[in-house]
Amino acid sequence: MKLNLWLYRLENKISRFAIERLMSIVTVAMSIVFVMDMLLMYSTDAAEFITSWLEFDRAAIFRGEVWRIITFLFVYPSGINIVFTILAIYFFYWSGNAVEGRLGKARFNLYYLFGVLGSIIAGLMLGYISNTYLNLTIFLAFAVLYPDLKVMIFFIIPIKVKWLGLFEGIMLILLLITSNLYVKVAILVAILNFLLFFGQDLITIVKNTYREFKWRNGNYN
């Protein structure tokens, strides 16, 4: 209760400065960087991509490239092919705006800001940090806020969002266990930020799902 009250008061203080449709801005910036990199990829004169100037790099920041403290947020998720990257950017756009629609722009700004600050601190300690896991936990927030919403997997299989959120949560835990230090810290920072804002809601969903399971199996106690 004290934590919720503290977040509520902080939310009121920043409400006048809150940015509306924040994830739209972030994903549009990602898209621009992605298109520029694709153009450079097919240029024979290109020595390096735009992302190499935007990624979080402590050594480069200390050399004066201070923009990297913010621009790492605009680095798009790289994957096995172009289609994956496009879908991932749309995924961040869709889930982020849906979460903002439920929380309101001030609370969502606060959630993203805390995640960014945690990432920056971790990046300065380690030398590098990625924005990927911060953005992925936005879908966890979406799953908490819209647990029973059904989406179509591969456009044909209906599944409730809470089960997709569970799958993502399991994958993040596995990555936390098996990945290198940079990934471990990025995931840990993102998950702690998620739990700060949605931990109580997550507990409620788990309890309700357990009650539903018992009811369907004839156990009414």
Side-chain angles (χ1 to χ4, degrees):
M1 291 295 293
K2 290 183 178 180
L3 177 59
N4 287 334
L5 181 60
W6 178 75
L7 289 174
Y8 178 75
R9 288 174 176 172
L10 192 56
E11 177 186 344
N12 285 336
K13 288 182 179 180
I14 73 161
S15 59
R16 71 177 70 178
F17 308 107
I19 301 172
E20 191 171 3
R21 296 184 68 82
L22 177 59
M23 283 309 294
S24 293
I25 296 172
V26 172
T27 52
V28 165
M30 282 184 184
S31 301
I32 293 172
V33 173
F34 173 64
V35 171
M36 292 175 70
D37 271 356
M38 290 302 99
L39 292 175
L40 286 174
M41 180 182 295
Y42 297 103
S43 172
T44 56
D45 298 328
E48 54 187 343
F49 293 141
I50 300 298
T51 49
S52 65
W53 288 91
L54 304 180
E55 294 174 325
F56 195 101
D57 183 330
R58 182 179 61 191
I61 291 170
F62 288 169
R63 288 198 304 267
E65 298 176 13
V66 293
W67 62 81
R68 293 176 183 268
I69 293 178
I70 298 299
T71 58
F72 81 99
L73 298 174
F74 308 140
V75 175
Y76 56 86
S78 58
I80 55 177
N81 55 45
I82 293 176
V83 174
F84 171 87
T85 300
I86 294 172
L87 289 176
I89 293 174
Y90 176 74
F91 176 81
F92 294 153
Y93 164 84
W94 172 65
S95 58
N97 283 317
V99 172
E100 181 182 319
R102 178 64 68 88
L103 295 182
K105 64 178 182 179
R107 177 60 68 99
F108 182 75
N109 274 223
L110 198 61
Y111 173 76
Y112 202 72
L113 176 63
F114 272 38
V116 170
L117 290 177
S119 297
I120 291 173
I121 292 171
L124 291 174
M125 293 174 61
L126 295 175
Y128 174 80
I129 199 72
S130 166
N131 65 357
T132 299
Y133 302 102
L134 169 61
N135 290 329
L136 282 175
T137 55
I138 292 177
F139 183 75
L140 292 182
F142 177 78
V144 165
L145 295 173
Y146 302 91
D148 295 318
L149 178 68
K150 289 185 178 180
V151 296
M152 305 298 289
I153 301 297
F154 305 118
F155 304 104
I156 55 174
I157 305 173
I159 186 171
K160 288 185 177 181
V161 169
K162 64 182 176 182
W163 301 123
L164 292 177
L166 177 62
F167 175 76
E168 182 184 315
I170 292 172
M171 295 303 297
L172 287 175
I173 291 173
L174 290 175
L175 284 172
L176 185 62
I177 296 172
T178 61
S179 298
N180 61 46
L181 180 62
Y182 299 105
V183 174
K184 287 179 188 291
V185 173
I187 293 174
L188 187 60
V189 168
I191 289 178
L192 288 176
N193 184 54
F194 165 76
L195 292 176
L196 173 65
F197 283 83
F198 297 100
Q200 189 59 51
D201 297 297
L202 181 62
I203 292 172
T204 300
I205 289 175
V206 171
K207 288 181 178 179
N208 291 340
T209 302
Y210 178 64
R211 292 193 189 106
E212 181 183 348
F213 175 79
K214 290 202 303 181
W215 179 268
R216 289 184 176 180
N217 286 273
N219 187 347
Y220 307 116
N221 297 321

